[in-house]
Structure formats: C-alpha cells, structure tokens
Amino acid sequence: MPKIPTFKAEGTITAEAATTPINVQAPLSIAKTFEPIQKAVTDYAVKEKVIQDKTEALKLENDSILELNTAVQKASKLMNKEKANQFLKNESTRIRTKYSNLASSSGVKRIFETNYLMEEQKQIFKVDNAVYKNIVQNHFNEKSRKYEMLMTEGLYGNNPLQEKELYNDLVKLENEDLVQDEDTRLNNIAMIPNKIAYFKAKRDSVNDPVQTYTDISTNNEKYKDLNLETREALLKELKLEASQILKEDMTNYIVGLENGIAVDINKEAIKEVYGNKAYTDFLETEQNTIRVG
C-alpha cells in the first residue's frame, strides 16, 4: 500500500483569536460638532432677552413721558425760571422713581433710566424756553400798562409837573427795558416826542377839533414834534369833524350878523379847512351881510 505522508505541526493552537490592527481616524467630539448650533441658540436667546428688556423699558418710558408732559405743561405756565425748574425737577424725580420701580430687572431699569434722563433734559430745555417767553410777554404787558399810566397822568391828570416830566419818564421806561435790543430802544426813544404830541392833539381835539386841526396844519409850537406821517393822519382824521362844525359856525355867524348878534368864528380855520377860495367867499358874504345890515 502506498505510504501516506504525515505533516508535523509546528505551531501552537491557543484559545485567543488573532488581532489585526485597523487604521481608522476617530470622529469629532459631539461638543465640537454642535458648537455652531449652540452658538446660534445662545445668540438668539441673548437677542430675545435684549428685545424683551428694551420693549419693557420703552413702555415704561412712554408711560412716564405722558405723566412728565403734564408736569411740563404746569411748569411752562410759570413766570419764574427757578421755580419752574425746581417744580419740574421734583416731579421728574418722582416719576422716574415710580417707573424705575416697575422694571422687572436691573437691565430694564438701566435702559429705562438712561432713556428717561435724555428725555428729561429735552423737557427742561422746553420749559426754560416757555418760561422765558412768559417773562417777556409779562414784561411787555407791564411796560404797556406803565406807559398807559404815564400818558394818562401826564396828559389828563391836571398835573403840570407830571406833564413836564412825561418825556423823561418815558425815556426811563425804555432804558429799563432789558428785553429789547439797543436799536429798538433808540428808535422807541426817538419816537417819544411824536407820541406825546400825537396824544396831546387827540386830547385837544375832544374839546376843539376846529382849532386843533388849524394848529396842526399851521405847525403850531405845541405840535412841532409831530412827524409828517402822524401829522397827515391826524389832519385826515380831524378834517371831517372840523369841517362839519365849521360849516355850522359859518352859518350861525352870518345869521348872527343879519340879526345883530355877535357870534364867534374861527376865520383862520376856514382857510385851513376849506381852502383859500372858500375863505375869500366867506369874507365876501360877511361884507355883503354887513352892508345890508
């Protein structure tokens, strides 16, 4: 029989499985993988918080400003700047404290107070301007009142000294007016003589418009300070009344001559009111009446 070859095993059989090394790279960490997502979530949360805080702060600001406006309106009616500022400061502090305490967090409180203080400064400036306007208007009113008193006493007070000092009193009134600028002051002072003469003419025309018209038209000394514009305005204003009175006087004068009764007549006024022709005609009528009588 053929011989079966035999094989001698030289290896050793063991219970452990053979290990084969595998060269595979390890994956990124989970934290690193989700880092962009986490950042986006965090940024969104921060933005959401900022919006929430600013919205709450804005509501507090709007509500507080409505209340502050009421205080501003009251302060704006005052005539004293220090009192107005003190009133507004006290009210503003109270309002700021009230709405700061309503804030849900320190962040909201900080945003609110920053914005409120900026608005407060605007309102203080607004009140300062309003009060200054009040002061100026009040000064104008009191100056006008003083002017009326001086004019009335000087021209109608039957006080020669008061009338004599009227110009100086009015100049003093203008010099004490610190609101007006220098050009306005000088112009007002320059106009004082014209104003005094104007009101003298108005006063005199009440008693005798005919003679007043004549004196103005002939540049009588007591009306010498009237400027051209004022003079013409007065003559135009007085002419109608003077002509009506003078017409009646002329009729009465001629009737008086016819009846032997002496009647006063302002002959010079006839010439000034009606002109030279009317004056000549009147004299002719007078002479004819005298001859007939």
Side-chain angles (χ1 to χ4, degrees):
M1 293 180 62
K3 190 174 181 179
I4 299 173
T6 60
F7 298 91
K8 184 177 179 180
E10 295 182 2
T12 303
I13 297 175
T14 66
E16 296 181 0
T19 59
T20 302
I22 301 175
N23 188 21
V24 179
Q25 186 176 358
L28 296 173
S29 68
I30 293 178
K32 189 174 179 85
T33 301
F34 287 98
E35 187 175 282
I37 299 176
Q38 290 175 339
K39 183 178 185 305
V41 171
T42 300
D43 290 347
Y44 181 83
V46 171
K47 182 178 180 180
E48 186 180 54
K49 176 62 175 172
V50 170
I51 293 174
Q52 175 182 297
D53 287 355
K54 286 189 173 182
T55 301
E56 181 183 346
L58 182 59
K59 182 181 186 308
L60 293 175
E61 180 186 348
N62 289 338
D63 292 344
S64 66
I65 295 306
L66 284 176
E67 191 166 340
L68 179 62
N69 284 340
T70 300
V72 168
Q73 291 175 6
K74 292 181 179 179
S76 296
K77 295 178 181 178
L78 299 178
M79 297 290 181
N80 183 287
K81 185 176 179 180
E82 288 73 23
K83 289 183 179 180
N85 283 337
Q86 189 60 50
F87 171 80
L88 185 61
K89 180 180 178 182
N90 292 341
E91 281 297 289
S92 184
T93 300
R94 177 188 65 79
I95 293 169
R96 185 174 72 251
T97 301
K98 171 184 173 180
Y99 286 92
S100 289
N101 292 337
L102 296 177
S104 62
S105 67
S106 60
V108 173
K109 182 176 182 179
R110 182 174 60 256
I111 296 172
F112 162 72
E113 290 189 341
T114 299
N115 293 340
Y116 180 88
L117 289 173
M118 291 176 63
E119 188 64 30
E120 181 187 61
Q121 291 303 310
K122 297 176 186 176
Q123 297 305 320
I124 290 175
F125 185 75
K126 179 179 179 179
V127 168
D128 283 347
N129 285 340
V131 172
Y132 180 71
K133 289 180 180 179
N134 294 343
I135 294 171
V136 170
Q137 184 60 50
N138 190 49
H139 175 79
F140 175 80
N141 294 341
E142 292 301 325
K143 179 184 176 182
S144 298
R145 184 179 171 204
K146 179 68 173 179
Y147 177 85
E148 292 291 335
M149 291 171 62
L150 289 172
M151 279 292 194
T152 301
E153 183 63 24
L155 299 177
Y156 298 96
N158 195 26
N159 186 338
L161 179 60
Q162 188 74 37
E163 183 169 354
K164 180 181 178 182
E165 291 297 319
L166 182 56
Y167 173 81
N168 293 331
D169 289 339
L170 293 177
V171 170
K172 181 174 180 290
L173 183 64
E174 293 299 333
N175 285 329
E176 290 177 347
D177 183 355
L178 300 180
V179 175
Q180 62 188 351
D181 57 59
E182 189 64 19
D183 288 341
T184 301
R185 185 192 331 281
L186 294 175
N187 182 68
N188 287 344
I189 291 175
M191 289 296 294
I192 288 175
N194 178 68
K195 289 182 178 180
I196 293 176
Y198 171 79
F199 283 108
K200 281 183 178 180
K202 294 289 286 184
R203 175 195 63 186
D204 297 343
S205 68
V206 173
N207 297 323
D208 193 345
V210 174
Q211 185 60 50
T212 303
Y213 180 92
T214 303
D215 290 341
I216 294 173
S217 63
T218 57
N219 199 23
N220 185 282
E221 177 67 17
K222 62 181 175 179
Y223 303 129
K224 64 181 178 61
D225 291 322
L226 287 172
N227 61 32
L228 181 60
E229 182 180 357
T230 306
R231 186 182 302 276
E232 290 180 346
L234 279 169
L235 289 174
K236 182 178 180 180
E237 180 183 334
L238 293 174
K239 186 169 186 177
L240 178 60
E241 184 179 4
S243 62
Q244 290 175 341
I245 294 173
L246 195 55
K247 182 178 180 180
E248 184 177 345
D249 287 349
M250 291 165 63
T251 300
N252 291 336
Y253 178 78
I254 297 301
V255 171
L257 285 178
E258 293 173 345
N259 294 278
I261 301 172
V263 177
D264 291 334
I265 185 72
N266 189 335
K267 293 183 180 181
E268 184 183 12
I270 298 173
K271 183 188 298 184
E272 296 301 328
V273 173
Y274 290 108
N276 289 329
K277 185 178 185 307
Y279 177 66
T280 302
D281 291 344
F282 171 77
L283 292 180
E284 184 177 342
T285 301
E286 178 188 37
Q287 292 302 315
N288 291 335
T289 303
I290 293 173
R291 281 197 297 269
V292 172

